[in-house]
């Protein structure tokens, strides 16, 4: 992206990025939970469109190989970082015995589409190739994310399960089995996204696509998960709040999954009057946020299987 083009986004980014950096969420007894985990920060992932890193949350005392949840953070594709998922990763790794990987990706407008999603594919390929060293079972993988990260995760699920999308992206599915998807409050249909009235879309989408008129991107359909769902799509957990404009997109994806016979678990609030806004799912100081965390843990146990402690008799 040229310097003049980047300059156009600087005022908005000065507002959005600090807000995202402060978007931290409390989890009760987080220090005690982390004491039962081995956490590795800033693991560099080689290859890809540009350098990126991951954090790995690994339960202590669980024998290899362990199932894994790979998570992409939110932030409108222009903000956020992997540490934003610290409480989610801590809570889920401690509750389920799964490894949780929280991934960074290249932010826009410095890097435009498809850099971030290709980095996600690079990560899946890396996990598959290094599963033994990571102590991960590549046949028990769930992909997930919140907000923009949900959109990335959904596109990656499509690339793993729909050969037509993989061909469009110029990728080959990674040698792993995606057993499920956890998608919090994310976009799913570029044809109707603007109709949601979601805040800052006039910044997020031009920055991410690299085009002021983002509708003109020839590859725009690649970002619409609803268009790539097949019966091979894995069971999916979907969430959306009654006061979140993005919930309309969540409902579109739910309906597309149901048309294809895909199993879903949902926490979708429609016109309930609860006032659950965007990202209510990760506000763990609320009853609704803690419920989603528990629901997610249950979903992971159901689709990845129970893990056992190292001292459990076999």
């Amino acid at each position: 992206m040229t310097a003049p083009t980047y300059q156009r986004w600087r005022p908005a980014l000065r507002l959005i990025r600090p807000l995202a950096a402060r978007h931290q969420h409390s989890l009760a007894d987080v220090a005690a939970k982390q004491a039962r985990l081995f956490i590795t920060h800033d693991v560099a992932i080689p290859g890809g469109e540009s350098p990126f890193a991951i954090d790995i949350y690994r339960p202590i005392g669980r024998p290899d190989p362990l199932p894994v949840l790979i998570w992409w953070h939110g932030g409108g594709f222009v903000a956020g970082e992997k540490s934003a998922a610290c409480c989610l990763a801590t809570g889920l790794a401690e509750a389920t015995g799964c490894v949780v990987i929280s991934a960074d990706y290249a932010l826009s407008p410095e890097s435009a589409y498809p850099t971030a999603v290709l980095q996600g594919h690079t990560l899946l390929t890396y996990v598959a190739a290094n599963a033994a060293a990571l102590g991960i079972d590549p046949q028990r993988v769930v992909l997930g994310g919140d907000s923009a990260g949900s959109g990335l995760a959904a596109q990656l699920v499509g690339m793993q399960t729909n050969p037509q999308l993989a061909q469009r992206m110029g990728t080959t599915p990674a040698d792993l089995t995606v057993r499920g998807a956890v998608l919090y409050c994310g976009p799913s249909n570029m044809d109707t996204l603007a109709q949601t009235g979601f805040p800052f879309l006039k910044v997020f989408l031009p920055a991410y696509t690299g085009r002021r008129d983002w509708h003109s991107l020839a590859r725009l359909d690649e970002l619409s998960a609803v268009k790539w769902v097949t019966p091979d799509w894995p069971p999916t957990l979907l969430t959306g709040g009654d006061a979140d404009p993005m919930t309309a997109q969540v409902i579109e994806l739910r309906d597309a999954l149901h048309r294809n016979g895909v199993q879903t678990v949902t926490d979708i609030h429609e016109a309930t009057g609860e006032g659950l806004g965007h990202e209510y799912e990760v506000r763990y100081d609320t009853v609704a946020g803690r419920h989603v965390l528990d629901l997610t843990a249950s979903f992971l146990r159901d689709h990845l299987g129970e893990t056992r402690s190292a001292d459990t008799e076999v």
Side-chain angles (χ1 to χ4, degrees):
M1 180 166 289
T2 64
T5 303
Y6 175 69
Q7 292 295 326
R8 186 169 72 238
W9 305 113
R10 292 187 68 180
L13 294 178
R14 287 196 192 102
L15 170 65
I16 295 168
R17 285 181 172 169
L19 289 174
R22 294 199 299 269
H23 195 53
Q24 302 295 327
H25 307 288
S26 60
L27 179 68
D29 301 322
V30 65
K33 294 179 189 297
Q34 289 184 341
R36 295 189 283 274
L37 304 175
F38 183 76
I39 304 174
T40 307
H41 294 286
D42 301 321
V43 177
I45 305 302
E49 293 290 307
S50 59
F52 68 102
I54 61 174
D55 294 339
I56 303 175
Y57 297 74
R58 182 179 191 82
I60 294 172
R62 306 275 180 166
D64 296 345
L66 292 176
V68 61
L69 166 67
I70 305 175
W71 194 266
W72 287 270
H73 65 79
F77 304 110
V78 304
E81 58 183 10
K82 55 186 170 55
S83 65
C86 173
C87 286
L88 176 142
T90 296
L92 293 176
E94 194 271 340
T96 67
C98 297
V99 172
V100 180
I101 292 175
S102 180
D104 264 340
Y105 51 88
L107 299 178
S108 299
E110 295 89 339
S111 296
Y113 181 81
T115 300
V117 71
L118 291 180
Q119 287 178 325
H121 181 262
T122 295
L123 177 55
L124 299 188
T125 302
Y126 174 86
V127 168
N130 296 275
L134 294 168
I136 286 172
D137 183 351
Q139 304 308 311
R140 292 191 292 163
V141 179
V142 167
L143 307 184
D146 56 290
S147 194
S150 173
L152 285 174
Q155 188 172 354
L156 288 162
V157 172
M159 290 161 63
Q160 284 291 119
T161 59
N162 189 324
Q164 290 183 333
L165 180 57
Q167 183 178 30
R168 282 274 298 267
M169 297 301 300
T171 60
T172 301
D175 188 16
L176 47 74
T177 301
V178 179
R179 296 286 188 91
V182 177
L183 305 175
Y184 294 171
C185 60
S188 69
N189 188 349
M190 293 298 110
D191 292 344
T192 58
L193 183 56
Q195 299 170 22
T196 66
F198 191 82
F200 292 113
L201 280 184
K202 291 182 179 180
V203 174
F204 296 155
L205 291 175
Y208 187 52
T209 62
R211 293 172 176 265
R212 185 190 295 270
D213 178 16
W214 57 272
H215 289 99
S216 67
L217 180 70
R219 305 179 63 175
L220 194 65
D221 281 357
E222 296 168 2
L223 283 71
S224 295
V226 295
K227 299 184 179 184
W228 304 106
V229 174
T230 72
D232 292 328
W233 189 285
T236 299
L237 170 60
L238 296 167
T239 66
D242 64 307
D244 181 0
M246 199 61 71
T247 297
Q249 293 275 296
V250 176
I251 292 170
E252 285 196 55
L253 181 54
R254 178 201 64 191
D255 293 346
L257 294 172
H258 287 176
R259 286 194 297 270
N260 282 272
V262 177
Q263 177 187 348
T264 63
V265 175
T266 64
D267 190 63
I268 298 174
H269 301 254
E270 299 180 67
T272 59
E274 297 168 276
L276 298 177
H278 193 63
E279 297 268 21
Y280 82 91
E281 298 91 339
V282 292
R283 293 183 168 89
Y284 302 124
D285 56 348
T286 68
V287 171
R290 292 192 297 273
H291 170 71
V292 171
L293 187 68
D294 292 341
L295 186 66
T296 305
S298 177
F299 179 87
L300 293 177
R301 285 190 289 264
D302 287 345
H303 295 287
L304 294 178
E306 296 283 350
T307 65
R308 60 185 178 85
S309 300
D311 57 0
T312 300
E313 292 186 7
V314 181

